[in-house]
Amino acid sequence: MIVIEPQWPRPPNIHALLSTRSSGASKSPYDSLNLGDHVGDDIEDVLTNRAIFTQALPSNPLWLKQTHSVVVSTPETRKAKNGAVIEADASVTNIASEVLVIMTADCLPALFTNSKGTIIGAAHAGWRGLCAGVLENTVAEMLRLSKESTASDLLVWLGPAIGPNSFEVGEDVVNAFRDSGLPFSEDAFKPIPGKSGKFLADIYRLAKDRLEAYGIKSIFGGEYCTVKDSKQFFSYRRDGITGRFASAIWIAKS
């Protein structure tokens, strides 16, 4: 399996990796390491792909049913579910070898840890979740797990998402961020010449604005574009019917 390791100054006990679309069992248009079980792919191929992915991890990952919400799964809520499907768009933990995972194909995956490596988080941020506060909710739940930590102690890595030259949105998206009452850079939305009411959105910039407003200063990543890199990444905006790749993070046992 071909994977990408995030480049960020993580504590030595924190590990993270991303799957690419290579080295799996799925056929076109899900070729080949599709990890999404909700996109129309053959379920046996998906299960084979998940088994391949899990070989690189210390335990089975905590798969989420993602719905573009701002719900964060915590150790407490998972215990209460007693093995039931986890419907959430982010997860946090302070438990070693518990693997948090987010699936995407243009939306932004964000991975979190603190400087001591005692808590981690993973969030799925499409523009709706980002605007509604999924990143802030993830941070808030992490800080509840680690009372001695503050937002300034956190590090965030922004994984592969649709790039700023590919993400065309309408005025409704711009207005949603304006109406949120939270700060964002106006230049995160650039009008498209000749297309009235259409903008190119920079989801990385929007995420950084939200994180910085929360007091987080150590933000890394943001250099990929899923739409343009068809060799490594699935992209819903590019292909329509397609698979999902995953971003995973965990705390190693001492």
Side-chain angles (χ1 to χ4, degrees):
M1 181 178 64
I2 299 172
V3 300
I4 295 170
E5 292 190 11
Q7 299 301 303
W8 56 328
R10 57 174 176 76
N13 67 319
I14 300 300
H15 297 273
L17 60 80
L18 282 74
S19 67
T20 63
R21 65 182 301 171
S22 302
S23 309
S26 294
K27 292 104 181 144
S28 179
Y30 307 103
D31 50 317
S32 62
L33 194 72
N34 165 47
L35 300 172
D37 63 357
H38 61 292
V39 295
D41 194 4
D42 182 275
I43 191 61
E44 293 302 321
D45 288 344
V46 175
L47 292 176
T48 297
N49 293 338
R50 289 189 173 189
I52 293 170
F53 180 61
T54 301
Q55 289 175 5
L57 307 173
S59 64
N60 289 324
L62 298 171
W63 299 106
L64 304 179
K65 181 181 179 182
Q66 299 170 191
T67 60
H68 296 276
S69 71
V70 296
V71 175
V72 182
S73 172
T74 69
E76 294 78 13
T77 60
R78 289 191 288 275
K79 185 177 180 180
K81 281 185 172 292
N82 195 28
V85 172
I86 304 169
E87 189 166 327
D89 282 83
S91 52
V92 300
T93 194
N94 56 0
I95 301 170
S97 295
E98 193 169 54
V99 181
L100 309 182
V101 64
I102 293 296
M103 288 188 294
T104 54
D106 285 335
C107 293
L108 175 67
L111 303 179
F112 299 76
T113 185
N114 64 341
S115 58
K116 293 182 179 179
T118 58
I119 49 172
I120 55 172
H124 161 242
W127 77 260
R128 290 178 179 83
L130 181 59
C131 185
V134 69
L135 299 183
E136 291 91 336
N137 283 9
T138 304
V139 172
E141 293 296 346
M142 289 179 68
L143 297 182
R144 288 192 183 97
L145 286 180
S146 178
K147 301 298 184 184
E148 73 277 9
S149 294
T150 63
S152 61
D153 296 327
L154 301 185
L155 298 82
V156 186
W157 186 75
L158 303 178
I162 186 169
N165 295 318
S166 301
F167 192 17
E168 182 176 321
V169 301
E171 203 154 9
D172 59 318
V173 177
V174 182
N175 289 335
F177 278 87
R178 287 175 177 157
D179 294 343
S180 73
L182 295 171
F184 71 94
S185 303
E186 286 287 343
D187 63 2
F189 295 101
K190 295 182 178 179
I192 301 175
K195 287 190 173 183
S196 178
K198 296 294 182 180
F199 301 80
L200 287 174
D202 187 342
I203 199 168
Y204 290 123
R205 180 67 261 169
L206 292 166
K208 288 177 182 177
D209 288 342
R210 287 298 187 90
L211 294 167
E212 288 170 352
Y214 208 109
I216 298 174
K217 301 175 183 178
S218 300
I219 306 170
F220 307 91
E223 67 268 29
Y224 293 100
C225 177
T226 48
V227 173
K228 292 185 176 180
D229 193 344
S230 59
K231 183 177 181 180
Q232 293 196 98
F233 304 119
F234 296 108
S235 168
Y236 181 80
R237 181 66 67 104
R238 182 187 64 233
D239 298 326
I241 299 173
T242 191
R244 300 292 185 270
F245 63 92
S247 304
I249 187 168
W250 67 94
I251 303 170
K253 286 186 176 179
S254 56

